[in-house]
Structure formats: structure tokens, C-alpha cells
């Protein structure tokens, strides 16, 4: 290693975090470079290691008996015939499991809502697990599951969230007394003033139907109990905070007897890989049977009963504005269908409070949020934790207001943008946006899209009798997630800590290893951690090994949600690197006969401020630390190993009684411009051009950010036009496989042009912000906006329910034909 | 999602395969390319005790030109048929439809005979076969039967094949000179089972349309042969074709159903739109002149 001087800050003598870097990206040596993604090697070669690849000797397999009814009393379960099948080892019912385990965790105070891996007494959605069959192979377990005879007595069910909220609706949890799990009403700013100043209002009702981030890999878990060591080893396809603790709690064993292995690959998640019920079931069976137990969902189980669906919302948005189109007030009423067991999902109504006005100056806001249960499989965290549906609702209202005002949609947005000089900007709900330059990003996107030419092309299609439209969406991606939304939705929950940790170790030969204590679900954390550690220490990331400690050998760490790794783990890496550098400086200064503040760390060496030739190199520093106690400063401990656990930036404060709160610390911005053409005969939508202007602050790895932008945009296109978990009125799921759950393929996703802009965040180590939800935050609104631009130009009513199918468009067009020209 | 326990048989001769079906009858299923049967097995929607794999019957993998047209072996894959010059020349409607079948990986394994014997009304090939009045050749313990397309498709996933019969080939008549063909469909996504599909083959001679064959997918339990439209279009000079009237005639007689992906009204209307488009394109290909669709 050859030290190089770059004029960066001096060597810190204590472990306090350094000041945020304001340097331009090109000042970085390893960050923001097209340096490749180290994970690609193993995935492209097919050498990822997933939970399905983990099969300890003697592993038994689980098959599931699921409910055919949306709501029914379980009268009797006869397992005799299943148990008699050769190869079947055990059959477990919900009643039996409930005797020895605790219910799964709810985040609201709803003690009567008991969520368990296997239904007890009653089943509350079609697909809910009723019994588990354990056998020598998965095929035998499925054979056994077919032989379990369950006697059901059907009960009334409810599938529509608005119906569920009514007093006379059938109750999903009768002893709870209502289907309304949470209802909170917030009013921020001068509501009366905002309303009084308005010349007009526009109200839209939007429906975000149930979809999810649907992973290639379904959920899976392997659990193995060692009775001699008293240790439960768990490999799981998880992306979940507190998974080990919740598992131990439900199994009634000490948390230090659960060891979750984080060094396995997770084949897709974006929030949905929670699997706590799977983990508890497998853990219980492993302990009960004294054998490793494997439970890998098949696609049907995943779609029917995986409890991984996403938000399912009805919005009413009222936007008030002056005659000039200046927004004065916003009201959002939302009902979210959590499914049968709410779990963590109602918290997704609180997260959008941190960006409730989008990128706009809106002085007052009313937000009325209701979470209801229905007889559907459970909802769980999905990419953006409720932000994308809210962005869609806001942007639909902005488009509708532009139509009502007769104003250009982009102009109306520009007129209301928070301006660059106004940051940090406090929105009415109490959160401060860190930084941004929305007009600059829009300018870049408009230039990249060549908007005048796009408009010309749209109008040329229309002139030939065709249908075409342009869509815009401007929105925020809150990032650096803390869990303060738990406190917002449930004030009695006073949790404010949501940390991330990193260990940096320099071994006796001077090689650097970074250890984190979380699994990744495709976010390229190996690359990110190596790059950040390399940048901090001035060593080549290519030579840094990144490992994942298990949950007992690791350190406080939550979950890679809301781009927390770039932000919070980035902070932990800074802290660990600073402490390591301080120790190296102490060694070097001692060696040079100087005080620690008379030297600095410079890319592997410790150099005297006064004399650049007076330096101690990496090899010598490492040798002293590991092998030469006689040269160590008095009192210094041997080795070079540092663990640092960091808080989420700007966290640590409870919400005020009125719900005002600093939610996430960082706010990325994106704007979408899309041209859609619609076949007038078949009403099929083709996306012709797609440009996204994106600002996530300092880009840590351009390839990773582009991947997020492209994938997120594709995901949003799916929401807008294709994806829905649908149910019929009888409560049966209509989407049972990928025949009916339509993920957009390469045919449906157009070339996406991503234009990056950089407004660094002042609250992160290198100015980075979140990018993991990029594209998805705005694509549903933009694509819907393009379709509606085409429809309204024909005098048809806009469609405000996603996904928009050809049939929906055809119906909207037919209505105009029947009514005659408008 | 594992199939029930079954016996897999891999006969090497047709006689052996027929004998297996004769022995196991209703308890057996014939496996061709597996693109429909394997999912059905894995979902346990099909629960045969015996699966008879035709993969080793290489004689069923050939396409032969005859004096009248061509005989497609039942085990010819979509991909092989798509690449076949004989198919392009002698069965242009089939050639036009093949690229619409699912995606390339499915076409690499799925077979022409498998699709026809499966008889899915949303699939492309049954409609094409129905439009062309092709003849299905079936072999069984009682010998060989020739079954015209009009009699072959009985209902949703039900064909005229007996449980001990194997579809060995499909005879397609060579079209006259002056013939053009076209196929199109609309699905939620490319490669999905279509909401509606339409294929047409048109022959023009001496300035008039002398033969029109139209079939639709996705609107009934069997492929819909649009004779009501064919009647209106036959004997008319291409420039005088009233495609709107033909489309409306078909809309008037079909009764599609609605589902998650499209309403019945949508399917009915779009069936007419696609019918107009494929006839226009087929006429254009037959005559070398554009004839604008309704």
C-alpha cells in the first residue's frame, strides 16, 4: 500500500464521528466509481447460497394443510390417516402448537387479535395454515397434508375494506369487537387558514389494489435444535428487524439460544421476507422432533398464505389551491386493508407522515388513517413502507387539480415545489427535509426526455386518431429508516432506537475484514460495505473481505429497510473507521515520539503534521498492534479490532401528541416523464419513452443505483398496469400463480433513461441518501397519469384504480362513445 | 407443489405407447412437451397414476411434405415448426401464429400435437387448426383414425381423442396460390394466454375473395370458427370488403365470459377488432395490396 496525501481532514484523536463531508463526488477515491458489484460474480455463476441450499443431515420437510374458507370455525381435525402414511413423521395442529408457544407479535395494542402460525379454533382467510405435516420429503408431506381431514363450519366473511370499517360488518376477530384496528386523525398547520385561502378544491378517490413485491424465491426457513448445546440454529430467507428475538419469545426460550445465520442469500424481498410464523413453526417442530426441519413455501402457499401482500388502500384526497394554483391545504383520508392479522402493516400508514406533502409547499394538512382487518392473507412491509401508494394518491390529486385549473401539469408542480434555498424545510407534520433541488432535477429530466418533441409525438398520434398521453410524477423517497412510526401509530410504544453496527478488523498481516450482522436481499451490501470501508481507510475495497456475523456473534443491527445500510450502517462504518484510525494514530505518534494530535492518518500510514517524511507505515503499525507490546503506547490494548454501533441520524425523539415527528433523516427526490400510446382497438398500453430524473445525494455505486432505479420503475409499472392479488366475493383468491399475478417482463418495461443529480445530504457520512425504493416511488403515478392524459384528451374520465387494465380503458372510452362527444 | 406419486413410462415405439394406454386407460396421461401437463401435475390438478412420455418416439418429430400439403408430427416442437420452411410455405397461418405462443423457452419444449391434444380454447394452435380444417391423425388399439378439426375440439380441454389414443400427426392442406394469412392476439402481457386472439387465412382469385377461414381464441370452450363473418366476406372483391359488418356479425354470435383480466363486453368487442385486423392483413398478404382495417 502506498500512502497518498489528499488534503483530507486530519486524524481524529477520539472516536467522535467526523463532520459530514461536503466534498464533491469526484473527491472520493472509491465511492461513485464504476467499480462493479462483487455480488454479481456468485449470482451470475449460479453460486448464491439460499436457504433451500441448506439441508443438514436428517432434515425433515413440512407440508401445510390450508383453509379453503375465508372464515370458518374449526370443528375438528382428524390426523389419523395422515399419520398412518409411510414417511410421515408428525402432524401438528394449531391447538397443540398454541399450548407451547406465544402468539406472534402485534405492533398495536390488540390483545384479542391472536396471530399464530397455525389457526386455532377459527381460520380467517382462505389459504391460512391449519395444520403442518412433517415427513421425510416435501412430496410425502404434501401427500400427508391431503389426508388430514378438517371439519369446518363456515362463518360470515368480509373482503372489502370500506365494508369492513362499517359497524354492521362481519367481524374478523369477534372478541376484539371491531374490524378497525387503528384509526388516527391528524391536523397539522393552520387548517382553517389553509382552507380559507383556497379559491377551489379538487377531490379524487383513488384505489391502490393489493399487490406486493413478489420475490423469485418464496419464503423458506431451516431450523435445527442441538439439545446438548441448547442452541436453535436458524437459516431463513429474512429481511426483518428483531427476527431472532421474536422467534425466541414465541418459542419461550432465551434469546441467546436462538442463532440466526445471516450469511445466506435472500432471493428478493423489498420488505416482504418476514416469515416469523414460518420461523416459529419450524423452530417448534425442530425442538419437538429433535431433527432439522425445513419449510420452503411453494408458490401457491406463498401467494395464498405467506402473509406477504402489500398495501391495499382506498384514498380520498382533497387538494385546496388559489386561483393561481398555489396549494393551500391537503386532506388525505385513507383506509388500509391489513388482511386478517395486522402485524406490522398498520405502521405503513404512519411512515408517509414524514413526506405527507410530497415535494410541495403545502402549509396545512389533515391526515385521517384507518387500518381494518378483512378475511385476506396478512399484509406486510413492502418497498417504501406505504409511501408509494400515498405518492400516487397525492400525484393523482395534483393531476386532477391541473385539469380543473386548466393548467399545465408540470407548471403546477413547479409552482408549488419547495425551493432549493428553503432547505432544511420543515413540513407541517414536523419532519424536516434535509436537502434537495427539485427544479434542477426536473430541468434535467425534461431535457433528457426532450419534452417538446415528446409532446409533438403525442399530438401526432392523436392527430391520426390514436390515443397517447404523457405522464409526470414528482415525489420523495424518505430514507434512513428509523422505527418512530411505531410510536406514531401506537403512542404507548416509546421505542426510539433503531441502530446498525459494523466491525472492522485488521488482522496480523494487515488484511482488512468488515463484519456486519444482517442478511441482504439483493441490495449489494458486500459491495457497499467494502467501498465505504475502503473509502474511510483509504485502502482498496477489492482487498476487503465482507462477512456476516450470526445473530449471537454479531452486534445490534436491525434491518436493511429504507436504505438504512447506506445511511445508518454508513454511520457505523464511519464510527468504526474513526476509532481504528485513532488507535493507529496513537501507535504511530508513540513511535514517532509525538503527541496523537501531532499526526494524522493518511491512507494506511500515520504521518507527522510537521514533517511528511516522518511516517509510520501500515506494516509497522499492524505489527506493533498485534505483536510488539513493547512498542505499544502505555495502556493500549493489542490487536486492531473495532465495533461501532450507530444510531439512525436525526432519531431519538418521540412524536408529539399531535403526531408531529422527525421521521426519516434523508429525502431523495425523483421525477418521472413517460409517453404512453394506447391501441384504440384493444385499449392496450405501450410505454414508448421513459425518463426518470433522480437525486439520491452522493451515489455510492452507480451500477447499484441504476439497478434500483430500473427495477423500481419496472415494479411501479407492474403496479400501474399489471399486478393485483384479487379475490372474488366468496373470499377466494383469484391470483394463485404467475398465470394470473402478472409481473411485468422485459417486453412490458421500456428502456428507462435515468438522469442523476446530486444534492448531498448534510446528515450522512458522504452525503448519500436512499435509493432502494427509487423508481417505485413515482412510476405508478406517472404511468397512470400518462394513461389518463390520453383518456381525458378523448373526453373520457380518468381511471383512478390500479392496476389499469385494457378492459378498464376500453370501458372508460366506451362510456364517452355512449354519452357522445363532450 | 409436488405431483402425486406416479409411474413414468418411456416407450420407444408407438405400439408400446398404445399398449400402455390400453392397459392403464383413464389412469394414464400422455406427456409430450410437458408445458401444460407438468404444471397441472405439480398443482395436483392432474392426478394420473401413469404418465406415458412420448419423448422417445422420434418418428413423431418429423414434418413431411405430401402432395396435398404437409403432415406435422405431433411431437414437433413449436420452435422447430416456427423455423420450418415447409410450415411457412404450406401452412402460413400456423407460421403466423407460432410466434404468439408463450415465450421462447416454452416454444423450445412445447409441441404442436401437445397443444392440440390439450385443447385449451385460449391457445393459438387449436384455433389455427380449426380455421384450416386440418385433420388430426390418431393411433389406438383399434387402428388409425382421421378426425377433422370441426369434430376434434369437443369442449374446454376436451377433445375427440379416446383415452387409449395418441395424436400422432396433423395433416394440413396446401393453400391455393393467392393466399395470405395473419394472426394476432391481445393479452395483458406478451406471451400470456390471450384475452382474445384471431387468425385468418384468405385466398383471392380473379379479383374476388374465394376462400376465407377465420378462427378466434379465448371466447368459448372451443375455438370459434367465425363462419358468420366468412359468409359475408366470401365472393367479394378485396376493395369492397366490409370488415365492420363482418366484425359485428361475429360480435353478435359470440358469448365470451369475463374474468379477472377482462370483461365479457371487452372480449366481445375486441374479438371483432382483431377479426377485422387479421382479415385485412391476410388480404394484403394475398394480394400484395394494403386494405385498411376497420
Amino acid at each position: 500500500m502506498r500512502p497518498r496525501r489528499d488534503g483530507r481532514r486530519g486524524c481524529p484523536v477520539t472516536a467522535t464521528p467526523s463532520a459530514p463531508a461536503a466534498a464533491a463526488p469526484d473527491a472520493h477515491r472509491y465511492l461513485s466509481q464504476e467499480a462493479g458489484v462483487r455480488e454479481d460474480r456468485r449470482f451470475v455463476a449460479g453460486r448464491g447460497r439460499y436457504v433451500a441450499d441448506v439441508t443438514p443431515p436428517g432434515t425433515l420437510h413440512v407440508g401445510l394443510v390450508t383453509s379453503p374458507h375465508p372464515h370458518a370455525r374449526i370443528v375438528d381435525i382428524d390426523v389419523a390417516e395422515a399419520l398412518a402414511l409411510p414417511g410421515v413423521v408428525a402432524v401438528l395442529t394449531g391447538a397443540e402448537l398454541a399450548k407451547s408457544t406465544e402468539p406472534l407479535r402485534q405492533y398495536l395494542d390488540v390483545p384479542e387479535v391472536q396471530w399464530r402460525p397455525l389457526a386455532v379454533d377459527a381460520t380467517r382467510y382462505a389459504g391460512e395454515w391449519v395444520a403442518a405435516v412433517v415427513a421425510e420429503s416435501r412430496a410425502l408431506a404434501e401427500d400427508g397434508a391431503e389426508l388430514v381431514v378438517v371439519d369446518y363450519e363456515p362463518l360470515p366473511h368480509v373482503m372489502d375494506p370500506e365494508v369492513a370499517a362499517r359497524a354492521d360488518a362481519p367481524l374478523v376477530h369477534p372478541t376484539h369487537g371491531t374490524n378497525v384496528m387503528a384509526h388516527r386523525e391528524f391536523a397539522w398547520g393552520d387548517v382553517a387558514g389553509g382552507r380559507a385561502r383556497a379559491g377551489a378544491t379538487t377531490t379524487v378517490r383513488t384505489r391502490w389494489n393489493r399487490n406486493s413485491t413478489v420475490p423469485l424465491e418464496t419464503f423458506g426457513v431451516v431450523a435445527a435444535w442441538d439439545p446438548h448445546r441448547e442452541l436453535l440454529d436458524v437459516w431463513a430467507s429474512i429481511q426483518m428487524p428483531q427476527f431472532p428475538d421474536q422467534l425466541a419469545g414465541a418459542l419461550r426460550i432465551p434469546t441467546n439460544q436462538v442463532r440466526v445465520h445471516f450469511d445466506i442469500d435472500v432471493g428478493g424481498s423489498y420488505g416482504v421476507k418476514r416469515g416469523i410464523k414460518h420461523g416459529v413453526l419450524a423452530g417448534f417442530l425442530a425442538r419437538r422432533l429433535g431433527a432439522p426441519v425445513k419449510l420452503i413455501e411453494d408458490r401457491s402457499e406463498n401467494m395464498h398464505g405467506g402473509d406477504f401482500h402489500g398495501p391495499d388502500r382506498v384514498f380520498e384526497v382533497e387538494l385546496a389551491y388559489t386561483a393561481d394554483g398555489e396549494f393551500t391545504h391537503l386532506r388525505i383520508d385513507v383506509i388500509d386493508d391489513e388482511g386478517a392479522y395486522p402485524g406490522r402493516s398498520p405502521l405503513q400508514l404512519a411512515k408517509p407522515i414524514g413526506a405527507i406533502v410530497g415535494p410541495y409547499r403545502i402549509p396545512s394538512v389533515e391526515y385521517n388513517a384507518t387500518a381494518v382487518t378483512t378475511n385476506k392473507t396478512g399484509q406486510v412491509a413492502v418497498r417504501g413502507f406505504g409511501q408509494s401508494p400515498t405518492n400516487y394518491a397525492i400525484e393523482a390529486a395534483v393531476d386532477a387539480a391541473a385539469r380543473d385549473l386548466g393548467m399545465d401539469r408540470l407548471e403546477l408542480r413547479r409552482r408549488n415545489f419547495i425551493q432549493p434555498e428553503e432547505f432544511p424545510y420543515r413540513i407541517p407534520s414536523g419532519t424536516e427535509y434535509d436537502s434537495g433541488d427539485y427544479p434542477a432535477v426536473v430541468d434535467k429530466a425534461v431535457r433528457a426526455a426532450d419534452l417538446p418533441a415528446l409532446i409533438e409525438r403525442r399530438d401526432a398520434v392523436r392527430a391520426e386518431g390514436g390515443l397517447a398521453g404523457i405522464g409526470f410524477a414528482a415525489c420523495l423517497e424518505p430514507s434512513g429508516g428509523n422505527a418512530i412510526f411505531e410510536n406514531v401509530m401506537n403512542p404507548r410504544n416509546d421505542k426510539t432506537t433503531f441502530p446498525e453496527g459494523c466491525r472492522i478488523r485488521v488482522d496480523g498481516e494487515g488484511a482488512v475484514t468488515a463484519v456486519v450482522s444482517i442478511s441482504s436481499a439483493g441490495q449489494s451490501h458486500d459491495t457497499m460495505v467494502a467501498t465505504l470501508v475502503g473509502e474511510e481507510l483509504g485502502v482498496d475495497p477489492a482487498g476487503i473481505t465482507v462477512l456476516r456475523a450470526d445473530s449471537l456473534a454479531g452486534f445490534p443491527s436491525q434491518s436493511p429497510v429504507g436504505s438504512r445500510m447506506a445511511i445508518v450502517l454508513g454511520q457505523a462504518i464511519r464510527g468504526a473507521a474513526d476509532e481504528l484510525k485513532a488507535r493507529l494514530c496513537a501507535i504511530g505518534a508513540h513511535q514517532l515520539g509525538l503527541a496523537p494530535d501531532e499526526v494524522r492518518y493518511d491512507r494506511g500510514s500515520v504521518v507527522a503534521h510537521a514533517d511528511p517524511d516522518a511516517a509510520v507505515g501500515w506494516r509497522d503499525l499492524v505489527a506493533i498492534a498485534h505483536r510488539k507490546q513493547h512498542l505499544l503506547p502505555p495502556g493500549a490494548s493489542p490487536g486492531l479490532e473495532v465495533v461501532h454501533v450507530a444510531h439512525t441520524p436525526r432519531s431519538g425523539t418521540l412524536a408529539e401528541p399531535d403526531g408531529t415527528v422527525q421521521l426519516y433523516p434523508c429525502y431523495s427526490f425523483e421525477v418521472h416523464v413517460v409517453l404512453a400510446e394506447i391501441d384504440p382497438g384493444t385499449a392496450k398500453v405501450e410505454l414508448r419513452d421513459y425518463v426518470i430524473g433522480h437525486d439520491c445525494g452522493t451515489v455510492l455505486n452507480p451500477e447499484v443505483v441504476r439497478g434500483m432505479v430500473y427495477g423500481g420503475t419496472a415494479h411501479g409499472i407492474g403496479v400501474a398496469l399489471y399486478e393485483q392479488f384479487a379475490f372474488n366475493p366468496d373470499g377466494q383468491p383469484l391470483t394463485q400463480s404467475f398465470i394470473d399475478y402478472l409481473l411485468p417482463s422485459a417486453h412490458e418495461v421500456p428502456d428507462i433513461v435515468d438522469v442523476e443529480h446530486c444534492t448531498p445530504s448534510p446528515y450522512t457520512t458522504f452525503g448519500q441518501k436512499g435509493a432502494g425504493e427509487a423508481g417505485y416511488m413515482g412510476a405508478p403515478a406517472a404511468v397512470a397519469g400518462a394513461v389518463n392524459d390520453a383518456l381525458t384528451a378523448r373526453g373520457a374520465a380518468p381511471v383512478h384504480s390500479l392496476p389499469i387494465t385494457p378492459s378498464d380503458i376500453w370501458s372508460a372510452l366506451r362510456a364517452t362513445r355512449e354519452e357522445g362527444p363532450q | 407443489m409436488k405431483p402425486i406419486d406416479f409411474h413414468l413410462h418411456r416407450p420407444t415405439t408407438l405400439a408400446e405407447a398404445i399398449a400402455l394406454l390400453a392397459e392403464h386407460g383413464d389412469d394414464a396421461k400422455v406427456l409430450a412437451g410437458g408445458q401444460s401437463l407438468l404444471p397441472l401435475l405439480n398443482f395436483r390438478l392432474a392426478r394420473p397414476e401413469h404418465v406415458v412420455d412420448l419423448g422417445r418416439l422420434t418418428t413423431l418429430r418429423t414434418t413431411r411434405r405430401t402432395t396435398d400439403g404437409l403432415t406435422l408430427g405431433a411431437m414437433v416442437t413449436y420452435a422447430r415448426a416456427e423455423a420450418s420452411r415447409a410450415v411457412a410455405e404450406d401452412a402460413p397461418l400456423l407460421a403466423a401464429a407460432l410466434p404468439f405462443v408463450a415465450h421462447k423457452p416454452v416454444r423450445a419444449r412445447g409441441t404442436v400435437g401437445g397443444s392440440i391434444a390439450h385443447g385449451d380454447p385460449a391457445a393459438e394452435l387449436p384455433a389455427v387448426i380449426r380455421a384450416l380444417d386440418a385433420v388430426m391423425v390418431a393411433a389406438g388399439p383399434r387402428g388409425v383414425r382421421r378426425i377433422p378439426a370441426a369434430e376434434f375440439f369437443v369442449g374446454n380441454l376436451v377433445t375427440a381423442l379416446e383415452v387409449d389414443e395418441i395424436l400422432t400427426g396433423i395433416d394440413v392442406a396446401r393453400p391455393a396460390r393467392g393466399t395470405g394469412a395473419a394472426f394476432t392476439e391481445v393479452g395483458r402481457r406478451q406471451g400470456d394466454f390471450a384475452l382474445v386472439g384471431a387468425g385468418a387465412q384468405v385466398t383471392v382469385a380473379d379479383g374476388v375473395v374465394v376462400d376465407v377461414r377465420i378462427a378466434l381464441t379465448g371466447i368459448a370452450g372451443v375455438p370459434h370458427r367465425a363462419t358468420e363473418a366468412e359468409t359475408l366476406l366470401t365472393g367479394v372483391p378485396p376493395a369492397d370488403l366490409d370488415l365492420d359488418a363482418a366484425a359485428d356479425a361475429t360480435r353478435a354470435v359470440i358469448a365470451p365470459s369475463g374474468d379477472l383480466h377482462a370483461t365479457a363486453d371487452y372480449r366481445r368487442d375486441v374479438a371483432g377488432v382483431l377479426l377485422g385486423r387479421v382479415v385485412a392483413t391476410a388480404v394484403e398478404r394475398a394480394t400484395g395490396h394494403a386494405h385498411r382495417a376497420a
Side-chain angles (χ1 to χ4, degrees), chain B residues 99-194:
Chain B
F100 287 92
V101 178
H103 298 279
K104 280 198 169 194
V106 171
R107 298 204 290 275
R109 280 205 171 264
T111 63
V112 171
S115 172
I116 293 167
H118 187 52
D120 190 326
E124 293 80 3
L125 262 52
V128 166
I129 291 312
R130 182 70 186 91
L132 296 178
D133 283 326
V135 175
M136 269 43 73
V137 182
R142 293 165 301 284
V144 171
R145 268 205 308 155
R146 295 177 57 80
I147 313 169
E151 296 165 19
F152 187 80
F153 300 106
V154 175
N156 191 2
L157 305 180
V158 180
T159 71
L161 285 174
E162 300 291 340
V163 292
D164 55 3
E165 283 183 317
I166 291 171
L167 177 67
T168 58
I170 301 100
D171 284 353
V172 181
R174 180 172 299 124
R177 291 173 68 88
T179 294
F183 191 93
T184 192
E185 63 183 34
V186 57
R188 292 282 305 275
R189 300 172 306 179
Q190 185 171 324
D192 283 340
F193 274 116

Side-chain angles (χ1 to χ4, degrees), chain A residues 142-143 298 679 682 743, chain B residues 1 44 189 261 266 269 277:
Chain A
E142 289 187 26
D143 290 349
D298 66 24
D679 182 324
T682 65
L743 295 167
Chain B
M1 215 173 275
R44 298 193 172 201
R189 300 172 306 179
H261 299 299
Y266 172 88
D269 186 59
R277 287 181 184 178

Side-chain angles (χ1 to χ4, degrees), chain A residues 86-111:
Chain A
V88 169
V89 175
V91 181
L92 180 69
T93 65
E96 203 183 332
L97 178 64
K99 280 184 217 153
S100 319
T101 54
E102 296 299 314
L104 306 177
R105 170 144 189 226
Q106 298 286 353
Y107 290 78
L108 301 173
D109 288 334
V110 285

Side-chain angles (χ1 to χ4, degrees), chain A residues 138-139 142-143 146 298 300 679 681-682 684 721-722 726 737-738 740 742-743 747-748 806-807 810 814, chain B residues 1-2 4 43-44 47 103 186-190 192 195 260-263 265-266 269-270 273-274 277:
Chain A
R138 166 72 193 200
E142 289 187 26
D143 290 349
E146 287 189 337
D298 66 24
S300 286
D679 182 324
T682 65
K684 188 136 189 243
L721 299 177
Y722 304 106
S737 73
F738 286 132
D740 290 310
L742 308 178
L743 295 167
H747 296 292
E748 283 70 48
S807 205
W810 179 87
R814 188 178 64 161
Chain B
M1 215 173 275
K2 307 284 182 196
I4 67 162
F43 278 110
R44 298 193 172 201
R47 308 171 67 95
H103 298 279
V186 57
R188 292 282 305 275
R189 300 172 306 179
Q190 185 171 324
D192 283 340
L195 303 172
L260 172 63
H261 299 299
T263 62
D265 285 345
Y266 172 88
D269 186 59
V270 173
V273 170
L274 298 186
R277 287 181 184 178

